[in-house]
Amino acid sequence: MEAEIGRVKEPARLLRVSTMARSLLDEARGMTLDEHARDQLQHIHARVVEEIGDSVAPELREELERLLPSASSGTLTQSEIRIAQSQLVGWLEGVFQGIRVGLTLQQSRPDLPGARPPTGGPGSGPYL
């Protein structure tokens, strides 16, 4: 559990890049992509994977790199771009889910190493 939380070195950076990747996917869904747009999205996708890779532990970086589309195929089709972006967003959501579960377990079991004791004051619940 704590290992899952520790696998992300820069959570704020990861959140920013994740939000951008999600927005990019949402935008790409609603438009027809010409070859230049697909090439640009493919370049952005590779850059996002690189940025995320710098924010996570090596084992997560290796897992993430396996999601990269094959570079030998040239410019990806519209469908391939959307699939690659969806995989990336899904992978990020999985990482965030793992972190949430780890934090929830830490809060529910304060006897675990690294767990912080609850402050008990108003507004200190998990919904803030």
Side-chain angles (χ1 to χ4, degrees):
M1 160 202 52
E2 190 157 326
E4 187 70 27
I5 296 167
R7 292 166 72 181
V8 176
K9 301 175 195 173
E10 299 180 57
R13 182 180 187 185
L14 190 62
L15 281 170
R16 285 191 307 272
V17 174
S18 174
T19 300
M20 189 271 309
R22 165 67 76 191
S23 296
L24 188 61
L25 177 61
D26 290 343
E27 287 293 322
R29 279 188 187 137
M31 60 178 69
T32 302
L33 305 172
D34 62 15
E35 185 174 351
H36 177 72
R38 292 191 319 267
D39 188 50
Q40 184 66 18
L41 281 173
Q42 189 171 347
H43 173 73
I44 291 169
H45 182 82
R47 183 71 182 134
V48 165
V49 168
E50 184 180 319
E51 288 288 327
I52 293 169
D54 291 343
S55 302
V56 297
E59 65 273 8
L60 285 178
R61 185 177 316 119
E62 291 170 11
E63 185 179 298
L64 177 63
E65 288 171 355
R66 289 193 297 267
L67 296 178
L68 277 173
S70 171
S72 64
S73 63
T75 301
L76 299 176
T77 66
Q78 193 165 313
S79 297
E80 290 170 328
I81 287 285
R82 288 184 178 139
I83 289 169
Q85 281 297 106
S86 295
Q87 284 179 313
L88 177 61
V89 169
W91 183 88
L92 285 163
E93 288 174 359
V95 170
F96 292 133
Q97 184 65 27
I99 292 169
R100 280 192 292 268
V101 167
L103 290 172
T104 300
L105 288 174
Q106 263 187 358
Q107 289 174 350
S108 67
R109 295 191 54 206
D111 59 320
L112 293 174
R116 295 183 200 130
T119 60
S124 64
Y127 298 107
L128 290 180

